[in-house]
Amino acid sequence: MMRSTGLRFSLATALLLLGSSSAWAQVDTGTILGTVTDTTGAVIPGAKVTIVQEGTQVRQSSETRGDGTYVFTPIKIGPYTVEVEFQGFQRARRAGVQVSIQQQLVVDFSMTPGEMTQTIEVQGTAPLLNTTNGSVGEVIQSQTINNLPLSGRNYNFLARLTAGVTHSQPEGRGLAATGWFAANGTRPAQNNYLLDGIDNNSNNVDFLSGAAYVLKPPVDAIGEFKIQTNAFSAEFGRAGGAVLNASLKSGTNGFHGSGWEFLRNDKFDAADFFQHYDGGGKGAFKQNQFGATLGGPIKKNKTFFFADYEGTRVRQAVPYTGLSVPTQAQRDSGWTNFSDLLTLQSGSKGTDALGRNVPLGTVFDPATTRTTASGAVVRDPFPGNIIPAGRLDPNAMKLLSLFPAPNAPGLYGNYRVNRNNTEDTNAFDVRIDQNFSEKDNLFGRFSYADSPRFRPAPFTGDADGGGFGNGTETVRTMGAALSYTHTFRPTLINETRIGFNREHVYRVQANGDDTSNVPEKYGIPGILQTKGNGGLPYFGIGGLSQLGSSGWLVSERFSNTYQLSDNITKIYGSHTFKGGFEGQRIEFPWTAPPSSRGSFSFGGNYTSSPNLADSSTGRAQFLLNPVSAPGSAYDGLG
């Protein structure tokens, strides 16, 4: 077990000269700001400005300052109505003002003289050009997230729609299939994932789960997200690449929900090349994604909830092609006749020290190893490539018998099979928003997902034959966020946020949790039998596909991040000061013992002519009992 723990702190203070009345939003919130003037263009100080969140009817009020400007920050994303009133002028209102993540939305008003009992509805749209900060990025809203086709209904893929973002370089963990992306030429691991303002990054050293993030809510639960690729503010200072900043939906005064079922199966799919090239045909495939969301009021105008659930069921045949197993003739001979090593191969390894030609596949008897008068080392082949039955090791015979019979011709690539991958994922999120008053707001969110997967090895039973990516894998993730915002006065606002995310990935080989001592059955004593270390060790037998499992299994990873942040905003005259603190405790203990069950290789060195190694004879070396070579320093198999 290796344990790594890190503490990360960041402090940021921004002083913004508000000639344009700009102000920074906080993480997953936004800002509404503007200037109130009369019809001559003169500013109106002291005008009352009220914003109303249209879904919840939560209200906030302020007054314009001496220069006629106003600022509401931070505020939750969503649609707002902005109202302005001042004695001697008609009331002005603008509805449908959509605030997005990190957006600083400018809403200016020109007041018309008249009675306050009269209301003017102001029409307008947000400017296409962002003039309030230099951040480069794009907001992806809920409608876009739901309407665009997405592989696996994973919103992370939409990041690639942003300028400067593209797919990542090839890698071995399947990360590209979970939305892994590169921004502005940086490494994908330098991106920063946030959910509701809380760190959502996997800190596993090798992304064993196949994803760079911890939590992935369904697309129907995402209010919107913003991908920022450059010039973002100090609170995002961790990222060298891009920031993917997502926010879960909130409940409103009305009940709203959705349900879905998405089906993919092999009836609609074509077989890929590797399933068709030898007439094997396509394998079975079925994927179901289903779930629902529901949001609404617990107490109107005060308390709201939102919840979602998504399940995924995958049954997919994975073709294994090009596997090599012992030939039927070798099996039928009781592992004594290896003449087909000669007949199924052509060519020569060269000549030995005695000038004899050595055809490819010739099995030499290690017990005949000797040194000639000239000092050269030689040995003699078994006549006809037939090994005497008395020379065979019974445990090696049992191990070779674990290989399945070939189902294709040839010495190599003579076995293919479809094995079935399975995946059963259940995930949910729950969010509660509480509006205590215009000055106090709170929200909390909890997320959980459990995803057991089985990725079978090519062989069944004790044979296994799987690599690092095969076996039983369990991925469990959870996370939470709690945010409290208090307005001391309209010019002083503080937000405190705490949260955590946790990822646990456990991958174990076939029979890995079987402690009945499988190796002992095959004459391999002394292997520690404990949970996770069961099953056969790795056997590399020259020319054959492996027996046993990868030497790096069992493998277990944890990623725990605990976060506390605080942001305070002070508006002073025409200036806005913002200060912040963020502290994180990061843990990523992991287990990956190398070759904890041992590792055995038989490359044919001792069943080949000296200095003319022939790996195809490795199966014969594997079978032979060690016998000393009389009169030499060599002892048979070494």
Side-chain angles (χ1 to χ4, degrees):
M1 173 72 74
M2 297 182 63
R3 178 174 298 274
S4 296
T5 302
L7 291 174
R8 186 173 72 86
F9 299 95
S10 63
L11 291 168
T13 303
L15 170 61
L16 304 178
L17 299 178
L18 296 186
S20 59
S21 300
S22 62
W24 287 108
Q26 292 175 327
V27 190
D28 63 338
T29 57
T31 297
I32 294 178
L33 53 93
T35 304
V36 179
T37 62
D38 62 18
T39 53
T40 69
V43 299
I44 301 178
K48 181 180 180 182
V49 184
T50 302
I51 62 170
V52 183
Q53 194 174 19
E54 293 179 357
T56 62
Q57 295 302 301
V58 173
R59 305 172 66 90
Q60 296 183 55
S61 297
S62 183
E63 290 187 353
T64 56
R65 297 168 293 193
D67 59 357
T69 62
Y70 69 92
V71 178
F72 291 93
T73 185
I75 58 175
K76 294 178 182 178
I77 63 172
Y80 284 82
T81 296
V82 185
E83 299 176 343
V84 182
E85 58 184 66
F86 189 69
Q87 186 67 36
F89 291 87
Q90 297 178 16
R91 181 185 291 110
R93 175 191 299 140
R94 180 171 164 185
V97 175
Q98 181 68 39
V99 178
S100 297
I101 289 178
Q102 285 283 298
Q103 184 179 21
Q104 296 154 48
L105 190 60
V106 178
V107 184
D108 294 330
F109 287 90
S110 178
M111 304 287 286
T112 302
E115 297 294 329
M116 288 181 58
T117 55
Q118 297 175 299
T119 301
I120 296 178
E121 295 289 341
V122 178
Q123 303 295 322
T125 58
L128 296 178
L129 182 64
N130 175 18
T131 60
T132 56
N133 68 63
S135 174
V136 178
E138 183 174 351
V139 173
I140 311 294
Q141 296 182 335
S142 178
Q143 184 176 4
T144 301
I145 296 172
N146 280 299
N147 290 343
L148 287 176
L150 287 170
S151 175
R153 288 172 44 78
N154 184 342
Y155 66 89
N156 290 275
F157 281 99
L158 293 175
R160 299 179 186 176
L161 298 177
T162 303
V165 176
T166 185
H167 56 80
S168 63
Q169 71 271 22
E171 41 69 40
R173 289 288 186 268
L175 289 155
T178 60
W180 180 257
F181 63 91
N184 295 331
T186 59
R187 291 180 177 271
Q190 293 178 288
N191 296 328
N192 185 14
Y193 296 86
L194 298 172
L195 180 62
D196 290 327
I198 297 297
D199 188 293
N200 192 31
N201 296 280
S202 172
N203 294 298
N204 281 332
V205 293
D206 59 356
F207 300 112
L208 185 64
S209 67
Y213 47 79
V214 175
L215 301 167
K216 182 184 72 67
V219 295
D220 303 74
I222 296 295
E224 65 181 35
F225 74 87
K226 183 174 184 179
I227 176 77
Q228 293 172 267
T229 58
N230 203 350
F232 29 79
S233 57
E235 63 249 65
F236 302 117
R238 156 179 184 158
V243 178
L244 198 155
N245 189 0
S247 182
L248 209 67
K249 288 180 178 177
S250 302
T252 64
N253 275 332
F255 286 97
H256 299 279
S258 62
W260 62 89
E261 161 74 22
F262 292 88
L263 168 67
R264 290 179 57 197
N265 62 41
D266 55 271
K267 300 297 188 294
F268 302 105
D269 292 344
D272 65 32
F273 171 81
F274 295 102
Q275 293 174 313
H276 253 332
Y277 85 104
D278 62 353
K282 64 182 180 181
F285 174 66
K286 186 175 182 180
Q287 176 176 303
N288 294 81
Q289 284 183 279
F290 52 89
T293 67
L294 181 64
I298 296 175
K299 182 178 181 181
K300 284 194 173 184
N301 301 339
K302 286 290 185 181
T303 310
F304 311 91
F305 78 93
F306 180 85
D308 66 77
Y309 164 80
E310 182 169 61
T312 302
R313 305 290 183 267
V314 179
R315 302 293 182 268
Q316 181 177 15
V318 177
Y320 285 99
T321 61
L323 299 171
S324 298
V325 299
T327 66
Q328 192 62 49
Q330 293 166 10
R331 301 175 68 93
D332 292 344
S333 71
W335 309 110
T336 60
N337 188 345
F338 289 89
S339 60
D340 56 5
L341 291 180
L342 297 167
T343 59
L344 294 177
Q345 299 185 94
S346 61
S348 172
K349 295 297 292 184
T351 57
D352 67 3
L354 299 177
R356 297 175 298 184
N357 181 54
V358 181
L360 192 63
T362 303
V363 180
F364 284 77
D365 184 354
T368 64
T369 305
R370 61 194 182 278
T371 303
T372 66
S374 64
V377 179
V378 296
R379 59 175 66 108
D380 299 324
F382 285 104
N385 263 18
I386 306 297
I387 302 176
R391 297 282 300 278
L392 302 180
D393 182 279
N395 287 312
M397 296 170 65
K398 285 197 295 183
L399 284 166
L400 275 189
S401 297
L402 292 176
F403 280 108
N407 55 17
L411 186 65
Y412 302 116
N414 56 5
Y415 185 74
R416 73 178 309 279
V417 67
N418 279 332
R419 300 297 308 280
N420 289 322
N421 277 4
T422 65
E423 178 178 341
D424 297 297
T425 299
N426 294 290
F428 70 85
D429 306 275
V430 177
R431 173 167 172 154
I432 301 292
D433 288 81
Q434 175 67 45
N435 174 40
F436 295 104
S437 67
E438 284 193 17
K439 293 186 176 182
D440 295 280
N441 295 277
L442 178 142
F443 85 80
R445 185 260 307 159
F446 179 77
S447 303
Y448 178 83
D450 182 25
S451 182
R453 308 163 185 171
F454 178 59
R455 295 166 177 164
F459 306 134
T460 58
D462 293 340
D464 192 355
F468 185 71
N470 297 114
T472 299
E473 179 181 273
T474 300
V475 181
R476 290 192 179 95
T477 60
M478 65 177 68
L482 182 66
S483 172
Y484 174 65
T485 302
H486 177 68
T487 302
F488 294 96
R489 48 187 178 274
T491 58
L492 183 63
I493 305 100
N494 188 80
E495 185 215 26
T496 301
R497 195 172 299 212
I498 60 174
F500 78 94
N501 70 59
R502 174 180 172 86
E503 179 183 57
H504 177 207
V505 186
Y506 178 75
R507 184 181 292 176
V508 64
Q509 68 278 7
N511 297 325
D513 290 332
D514 180 355
T515 57
S516 64
N517 209 336
V518 170
E520 185 78 43
K521 294 192 301 183
Y522 302 97
I524 311 169
I527 294 179
L528 176 66
Q529 293 298 290
T530 187
K531 184 178 182 295
N533 206 49
L536 284 179
Y538 167 86
F539 286 96
I541 305 170
L544 296 175
S545 298
Q546 75 175 63
L547 279 178
S549 62
S550 167
W552 290 95
L553 294 174
V554 62
S555 188
E556 188 171 25
R557 307 282 195 275
F558 290 88
S559 174
N560 303 320
T561 301
Y562 307 93
Q563 176 177 324
L564 169 65
S565 61
D566 189 85
N567 296 294
I568 188 165
T569 301
K570 170 61 179 175
I571 301 170
Y572 183 77
S574 297
H575 307 283
T576 294
F577 298 86
K578 180 182 175 183
F581 162 85
E582 181 178 295
Q584 289 186 353
R585 179 180 176 88
I586 301 172
E587 303 171 342
F588 44 98
W590 59 283
T591 300
S595 302
S596 59
R597 292 170 300 286
S599 179
F600 303 90
S601 296
F602 300 84
N605 287 340
Y606 297 99
T607 48
S608 303
S609 179
N611 301 316
L612 297 173
D614 183 353
S615 64
S616 68
T617 68
R619 62 195 78 186
Q621 179 183 328
F622 180 70
L623 284 162
L624 281 167
N625 267 316
V627 176
S628 296
S632 84
Y634 292 85
D635 60 350
L637 300 183

PDB file of all heavy atoms in Angstrom, residues 184-196:
ATOM      1  N   ASN A 184      -6.087  23.537 -25.993  1.00  0.00           N
ATOM      2  CA  ASN A 184      -4.966  24.423 -26.343  1.00  0.00           C
ATOM      3  C   ASN A 184      -3.616  23.717 -26.278  1.00  0.00           C
ATOM      4  O   ASN A 184      -2.609  24.308 -25.882  1.00  0.00           O
ATOM      5  CB  ASN A 184      -4.956  25.656 -25.433  1.00  0.00           C
ATOM      6  CG  ASN A 184      -6.180  26.521 -25.643  1.00  0.00           C
ATOM      7  OD1 ASN A 184      -6.750  26.559 -26.722  1.00  0.00           O
ATOM      8  ND2 ASN A 184      -6.603  27.201 -24.584  1.00  0.00           N
ATOM      9  N   GLY A 185      -3.607  22.439 -26.624  1.00  0.00           N
ATOM     10  CA  GLY A 185      -2.353  21.713 -26.711  1.00  0.00           C
ATOM     11  C   GLY A 185      -1.810  21.188 -25.399  1.00  0.00           C
ATOM     12  O   GLY A 185      -0.748  20.574 -25.377  1.00  0.00           O
ATOM     13  N   THR A 186      -2.507  21.395 -24.287  1.00  0.00           N
ATOM     14  CA  THR A 186      -2.033  20.895 -23.003  1.00  0.00           C
ATOM     15  C   THR A 186      -2.439  19.428 -22.827  1.00  0.00           C
ATOM     16  O   THR A 186      -3.301  18.910 -23.528  1.00  0.00           O
ATOM     17  CB  THR A 186      -2.613  21.713 -21.836  1.00  0.00           C
ATOM     18  OG1 THR A 186      -4.049  21.632 -21.885  1.00  0.00           O
ATOM     19  CG2 THR A 186      -2.176  23.158 -21.923  1.00  0.00           C
ATOM     20  N   ARG A 187      -1.823  18.779 -21.868  1.00  0.00           N
ATOM     21  CA  ARG A 187      -2.183  17.397 -21.573  1.00  0.00           C
ATOM     22  C   ARG A 187      -3.587  17.334 -20.968  1.00  0.00           C
ATOM     23  O   ARG A 187      -3.951  18.190 -20.147  1.00  0.00           O
ATOM     24  CB  ARG A 187      -1.183  16.773 -20.602  1.00  0.00           C
ATOM     25  CG  ARG A 187       0.209  16.556 -21.202  1.00  0.00           C
ATOM     26  CD  ARG A 187       1.140  15.934 -20.178  1.00  0.00           C
ATOM     27  NE  ARG A 187       2.439  15.661 -20.764  1.00  0.00           N
ATOM     28  CZ  ARG A 187       2.769  14.528 -21.378  1.00  0.00           C
ATOM     29  NH1 ARG A 187       1.856  13.580 -21.493  1.00  0.00           N
ATOM     30  NH2 ARG A 187       3.973  14.348 -21.873  1.00  0.00           N
ATOM     31  N   PRO A 188      -4.384  16.325 -21.320  1.00  0.00           N
ATOM     32  CA  PRO A 188      -5.736  16.224 -20.761  1.00  0.00           C
ATOM     33  C   PRO A 188      -5.764  16.153 -19.239  1.00  0.00           C
ATOM     34  O   PRO A 188      -6.715  16.607 -18.610  1.00  0.00           O
ATOM     35  CB  PRO A 188      -6.273  14.939 -21.399  1.00  0.00           C
ATOM     36  CG  PRO A 188      -5.510  14.798 -22.671  1.00  0.00           C
ATOM     37  CD  PRO A 188      -4.139  15.319 -22.370  1.00  0.00           C
ATOM     38  N   ALA A 189      -4.716  15.589 -18.626  1.00  0.00           N
ATOM     39  CA  ALA A 189      -4.693  15.480 -17.169  1.00  0.00           C
ATOM     40  C   ALA A 189      -4.563  16.840 -16.491  1.00  0.00           C
ATOM     41  O   ALA A 189      -4.698  16.938 -15.272  1.00  0.00           O
ATOM     42  CB  ALA A 189      -3.548  14.567 -16.728  1.00  0.00           C
ATOM     43  N   GLN A 190      -4.304  17.895 -17.260  1.00  0.00           N
ATOM     44  CA  GLN A 190      -4.190  19.240 -16.688  1.00  0.00           C
ATOM     45  C   GLN A 190      -5.522  19.985 -16.664  1.00  0.00           C
ATOM     46  O   GLN A 190      -5.571  21.144 -16.259  1.00  0.00           O
ATOM     47  CB  GLN A 190      -3.157  20.054 -17.470  1.00  0.00           C
ATOM     48  CG  GLN A 190      -1.736  19.530 -17.322  1.00  0.00           C
ATOM     49  CD  GLN A 190      -0.745  20.319 -18.150  1.00  0.00           C
ATOM     50  OE1 GLN A 190      -0.711  20.228 -19.373  1.00  0.00           O
ATOM     51  NE2 GLN A 190       0.080  21.102 -17.481  1.00  0.00           N
ATOM     52  N   ASN A 191      -6.598  19.335 -17.115  1.00  0.00           N
ATOM     53  CA  ASN A 191      -7.919  19.951 -17.039  1.00  0.00           C
ATOM     54  C   ASN A 191      -8.440  19.908 -15.604  1.00  0.00           C
ATOM     55  O   ASN A 191      -8.001  19.095 -14.784  1.00  0.00           O
ATOM     56  CB  ASN A 191      -8.900  19.233 -17.973  1.00  0.00           C
ATOM     57  CG  ASN A 191      -8.508  19.368 -19.429  1.00  0.00           C
ATOM     58  OD1 ASN A 191      -7.946  20.376 -19.833  1.00  0.00           O
ATOM     59  ND2 ASN A 191      -8.790  18.350 -20.228  1.00  0.00           N
ATOM     60  N   ASN A 192      -9.406  20.743 -15.322  1.00  0.00           N
ATOM     61  CA  ASN A 192      -9.985  20.841 -13.982  1.00  0.00           C
ATOM     62  C   ASN A 192     -11.495  20.670 -14.094  1.00  0.00           C
ATOM     63  O   ASN A 192     -12.165  21.431 -14.798  1.00  0.00           O
ATOM     64  CB  ASN A 192      -9.650  22.200 -13.368  1.00  0.00           C
ATOM     65  CG  ASN A 192     -10.127  22.323 -11.931  1.00  0.00           C
ATOM     66  OD1 ASN A 192     -10.472  21.339 -11.288  1.00  0.00           O
ATOM     67  ND2 ASN A 192     -10.157  23.545 -11.419  1.00  0.00           N
ATOM     68  N   TYR A 193     -12.031  19.645 -13.403  1.00  0.00           N
ATOM     69  CA  TYR A 193     -13.467  19.359 -13.425  1.00  0.00           C
ATOM     70  C   TYR A 193     -14.092  19.835 -12.119  1.00  0.00           C
ATOM     71  O   TYR A 193     -13.592  19.532 -11.023  1.00  0.00           O
ATOM     72  CB  TYR A 193     -13.715  17.852 -13.576  1.00  0.00           C
ATOM     73  CG  TYR A 193     -13.216  17.280 -14.884  1.00  0.00           C
ATOM     74  CD1 TYR A 193     -11.896  16.868 -15.035  1.00  0.00           C
ATOM     75  CD2 TYR A 193     -14.074  17.133 -15.975  1.00  0.00           C
ATOM     76  CE1 TYR A 193     -11.436  16.336 -16.231  1.00  0.00           C
ATOM     77  CE2 TYR A 193     -13.623  16.595 -17.173  1.00  0.00           C
ATOM     78  CZ  TYR A 193     -12.307  16.211 -17.296  1.00  0.00           C
ATOM     79  OH  TYR A 193     -11.854  15.676 -18.485  1.00  0.00           O
ATOM     80  N   LEU A 194     -15.194  20.584 -12.245  1.00  0.00           N
ATOM     81  CA  LEU A 194     -15.929  21.082 -11.085  1.00  0.00           C
ATOM     82  C   LEU A 194     -17.389  20.696 -11.208  1.00  0.00           C
ATOM     83  O   LEU A 194     -17.950  20.695 -12.308  1.00  0.00           O
ATOM     84  CB  LEU A 194     -15.822  22.605 -10.981  1.00  0.00           C
ATOM     85  CG  LEU A 194     -14.432  23.214 -10.780  1.00  0.00           C
ATOM     86  CD1 LEU A 194     -14.505  24.732 -10.892  1.00  0.00           C
ATOM     87  CD2 LEU A 194     -13.859  22.811  -9.435  1.00  0.00           C
ATOM     88  N   LEU A 195     -18.017  20.380 -10.082  1.00  0.00           N
ATOM     89  CA  LEU A 195     -19.455  20.133 -10.027  1.00  0.00           C
ATOM     90  C   LEU A 195     -20.020  20.898  -8.845  1.00  0.00           C
ATOM     91  O   LEU A 195     -19.616  20.665  -7.696  1.00  0.00           O
ATOM     92  CB  LEU A 195     -19.745  18.630  -9.889  1.00  0.00           C
ATOM     93  CG  LEU A 195     -21.221  18.245  -9.825  1.00  0.00           C
ATOM     94  CD1 LEU A 195     -21.955  18.644 -11.106  1.00  0.00           C
ATOM     95  CD2 LEU A 195     -21.396  16.746  -9.570  1.00  0.00           C
ATOM     96  N   ASP A 196     -20.915  21.836  -9.130  1.00  0.00           N
ATOM     97  CA  ASP A 196     -21.492  22.706  -8.091  1.00  0.00           C
ATOM     98  C   ASP A 196     -20.391  23.399  -7.285  1.00  0.00           C
ATOM     99  O   ASP A 196     -20.490  23.570  -6.070  1.00  0.00           O
ATOM    100  CB  ASP A 196     -22.404  21.907  -7.156  1.00  0.00           C
ATOM    101  CG  ASP A 196     -23.677  21.453  -7.832  1.00  0.00           C
ATOM    102  OD1 ASP A 196     -24.166  22.186  -8.710  1.00  0.00           O
ATOM    103  OD2 ASP A 196     -24.176  20.350  -7.508  1.00  0.00           O
TER     104      ASP A 196
END
